[in-house]
């Protein structure tokens, strides 16, 4: 019997695994970006560069590093969109798309966390195909290619640098919309530990838990397949071994470099084996109360694992082993429960709150109902191993509050 997975049967008669993004990893890769671009035949002639970033990333000096990388080269930086809002915004992406067309950008560099990378992706879609973000909501709604995107992640969570997904907040409707399309895979992901050296400890913890959630949800979703499963388990082990050290010490450390790999691997997994109820709840709380995506996931994660346990005990037992729980031959259910306890303990050691009330979310019945209703509409819920009627989802949300 397989030591980690227990050699489970295949759960799907057919599956697709796609991870087309080229990945470059190493300290200083961003400073040498133009060399990397010149080595790629499909990118070498694309000289009109638009850079997306946000105020925090720019203030950390990372925009300077990118601009410096292009200085004195034949490339022209035709636009710098450096005020991407947190968790993005449907109106903002439309304006950014207009700027891409007006400046005739032929290459997009997204420097930031998920908010920046997703904004760049959706702006590129609108620039190429018109309309607005809502027109492309759901799966396979983007009709064709977009301007090639170079993703430089500066957090250790979303993995948007290698995914087919983008999430944008529709502030007018107070909800988040998810767009998934193979045309959203970035062309190149540059994982440079210098880019996460300045990430504040709290954000290492929150985004690290986003990556852990991606891996656990991908590993236990209804569309799980073995290549994603392998990536998910490796990511869980990397996170268990490195998240705390990455929080404790800033700089381009080995622990932070490994967290970059973990986030990217977990994202390759969930791009092919989608996330579930944790993300559905986290999106809903995030849209209603502006809670950071990773923090929102971290809070919901153990509650959803308890909810799902009866359906996926063997999967969670494997998760527990990857988290470092000793298997002394206990039942899958006991191992799964130990895995959930280990997740809670890791959260506590990383300073992540246990419930939403600790970050200011009200606990009244109307709030629980509003979150549950949004959760039921979220596309991610359809991939969760337990479906749940409205009453069950409502009770789950109430426990997390
Ligand atoms: N596309 C996907 O596949 C996918 C997956 C999961 C989440 N998401 C989305 O990603 C968004 C969240 O992204 P995130 O968690 O990466 O956070 P973020 O991009 O919102 O960044 C959080 C904060 O960290 C700051 N920051 C980022 N990097 C920094 C650095 N190196 N130094 C100093 N400050 C830095 C930013 O300025 C910002 O204030 C949400 O909108 C979420 O829905 C997308
Ligand atoms: Fe996520």
């Amino acid at each position: 019997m397989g030591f980690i997975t227990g050699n489970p049967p295949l759960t799907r008669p057919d599956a697709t695994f796609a991870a087309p993004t080229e990945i470059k990893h190493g300290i200083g890769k961003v400073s040498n970006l133009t060399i990397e671009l010149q080595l790629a035949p499909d990118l070498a002639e694309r000289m009109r560069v638009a850079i997306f970033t946000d105020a925090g990333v720019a203030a950390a000096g990372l925009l300077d590093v990118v601009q410096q990388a292009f200085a004195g080269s034949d490339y022209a930086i035709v636009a710098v969109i450096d005020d991407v809002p947190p968790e993005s915004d449907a109106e903002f992406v439309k304006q950014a798309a207009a700027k891409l067309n007006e400046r005739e950008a032929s290459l997009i560099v997204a420097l930031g966390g998920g908010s920046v990378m997703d904004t760049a992706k959706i702006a590129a879609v609108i620039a190429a195909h018109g309309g607005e973000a809502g027109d492309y909501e759901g799966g396979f709604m983007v009709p064709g290619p977009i301007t090639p995107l170079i993703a430089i992640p500066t957090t250790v969570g979303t993995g948007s640098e290698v995914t087919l997904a983008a999430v944008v907040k529709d502030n007018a409707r107070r909800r988040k919309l998810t767009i998934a399309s193979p045309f959203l895979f970035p062309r190149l992901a540059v994982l440079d530990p210098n880019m996460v050296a300045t990430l504040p400890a709290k954000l290492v913890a929150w985004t690290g838990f986003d990556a852990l959630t991606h891996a656990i949800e991908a590993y236990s979703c209804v569309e799980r397949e073995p290549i994603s499963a392998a990536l998910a388990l490796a990511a869980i082990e990397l996170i268990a071994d490195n998240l705390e050290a990455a929080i404790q010490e800033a700089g381009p450390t080995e622990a932070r470099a490994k967290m970059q790999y973990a986030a990217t691997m977990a994202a390759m997994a969930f791009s092919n084996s989608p996330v579930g109820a944790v993300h559905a709840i986290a999106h809903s709380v995030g849209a209603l109360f502006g809670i950071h995506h990773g923090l929102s996931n971290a809070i919901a994660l153990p509650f959803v694992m308890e909810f799902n346990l009866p359906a996926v005990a063997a999967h969670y037992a494997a998760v527990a082993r990857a988290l470092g729980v000793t298997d002394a031959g206990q039942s899958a259910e006991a191992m799964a429960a130990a895995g959930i306890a280990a997740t809670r303990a890791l959260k506590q050691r990383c300073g992540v709150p246990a419930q939403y009330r600790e970050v200011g979310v009200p606990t009244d019945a109307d709030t629980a109902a509003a979150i549950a209703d949004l959760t039921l509409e979220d596309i991610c819920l359809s991939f969760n191993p337990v479906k749940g009627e409205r009453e069950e989802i409502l009770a789950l949300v109430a426990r997390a509050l």
Side-chain angles (χ1 to χ4, degrees):
M1 190 173 102
F3 177 68
I4 300 231
T5 66
N7 193 25
L10 292 175
T11 48
R12 296 170 69 179
D14 55 41
T16 297
F17 181 89
T21 303
E22 189 178 350
I23 300 164
K24 308 259 182 193
H25 181 274
I27 292 181
K29 282 280 175 206
V30 170
S31 298
N32 295 323
L33 190 55
T34 57
I35 299 170
E36 302 291 351
L37 295 175
Q38 286 301 304
L39 289 173
D42 60 319
L43 299 177
E45 301 299 317
R46 294 181 171 271
M47 309 309 277
R48 297 181 64 79
V49 181
I51 302 175
F52 283 76
T53 195
D54 67 24
V57 174
L62 305 179
L63 175 59
D64 291 343
V65 178
V66 172
Q67 286 179 314
Q68 204 53 46
F70 286 106
S73 74
D74 291 339
Y75 289 88
I77 297 179
V78 296
V80 178
I81 297 164
D82 59 5
D83 53 352
V84 170
E87 317 269 321
S88 194
D89 170 53
E91 206 36 56
F92 186 92
V93 291
K94 216 168 148 183
Q95 289 160 17
K99 201 173 273 184
L100 290 178
N101 284 339
E102 189 189 295
R103 310 280 170 89
E104 297 177 7
S106 57
L107 188 68
I108 297 172
V109 174
L111 170 73
S115 298
V116 170
M117 292 187 280
D118 288 8
T119 298
K121 285 180 177 180
I122 301 172
V125 169
I126 296 172
H129 306 291
E132 44 197 88
D135 299 339
Y136 303 100
E137 186 174 12
F140 302 97
M141 296 297 286
V142 179
I146 61 173
T147 298
L149 205 143
I150 314 299
I152 307 174
T154 64
T155 63
V156 291
T158 72
S160 184
E161 66 273 9
V162 291
T163 73
L164 81 181
V167 185
V168 65
K169 206 157 147 187
D170 183 342
N171 281 316
R173 288 156 67 203
R174 290 188 89 196
R175 60 189 288 270
K176 280 187 151 193
L177 50 99
T178 301
I179 301 174
S181 158
F183 295 115
L184 291 188
F185 283 115
R187 166 64 182 79
L188 181 64
V190 185
L191 310 185
D192 183 339
N194 282 336
M195 297 295 115
V196 294
T198 52
L199 189 62
K202 195 173 68 176
L203 280 158
V204 176
W206 295 352
T207 61
F209 262 91
D210 188 21
L212 181 63
T213 305
H214 294 155
I216 293 175
E217 294 213 284
Y219 191 72
S220 51
C221 77
V222 292
E223 295 207 353
R224 168 180 179 274
E225 56 74 48
I227 304 172
S228 308
L231 288 162
L233 287 177
I236 293 167
E237 190 178 341
L238 278 170
I239 294 165
D241 287 343
N242 294 287
L243 179 55
E244 288 164 84
I247 292 169
Q248 280 152 18
E249 194 185 347
T253 63
E254 169 130 343
R256 288 190 176 204
K258 285 178 174 167
M259 283 302 300
Q260 283 185 300
Y261 267 120
T264 298
M265 288 159 72
M268 288 163 86
F270 92 79
S271 212
N272 292 281
S273 297
V275 291
V278 183
H279 271 74
I281 294 173
H283 288 156
S284 306
V285 180
L288 291 172
F289 300 102
I291 309 293
H292 178 267
H293 174 75
L295 171 61
S296 198
N297 272 323
I299 292 175
L301 179 61
F303 295 98
V304 172
M305 289 176 81
E306 278 162 352
F307 181 74
N308 289 340
L309 192 154
V312 286
H315 301 79
Y316 287 169
V319 167
R321 286 186 282 269
L323 281 171
V325 174
T326 304
D327 187 347
Q330 45 292 49
S331 66
E333 285 72 18
M335 272 303 283
I340 298 171
T343 305
R344 281 209 163 93
L346 181 63
K347 261 176 72 171
Q348 203 174 14
R349 293 199 302 279
C350 294
V352 176
Q355 285 178 296
Y356 285 116
R357 67 187 66 187
E358 294 163 57
V359 293
V361 178
T363 57
D364 60 276
D366 286 350
T367 300
I371 296 169
D373 287 337
L374 272 185
T375 300
L376 287 159
E377 275 177 27
D378 194 292
I379 186 176
C380 296
L381 193 64
S382 55
F383 303 107
N384 196 60
V386 178
K387 290 285 158 274
E389 298 298 325
R390 184 177 183 280
E391 286 313 302
E392 291 162 304
I393 298 294
L394 187 60
L396 167 61
V397 167
R399 286 195 291 278
L401 286 178

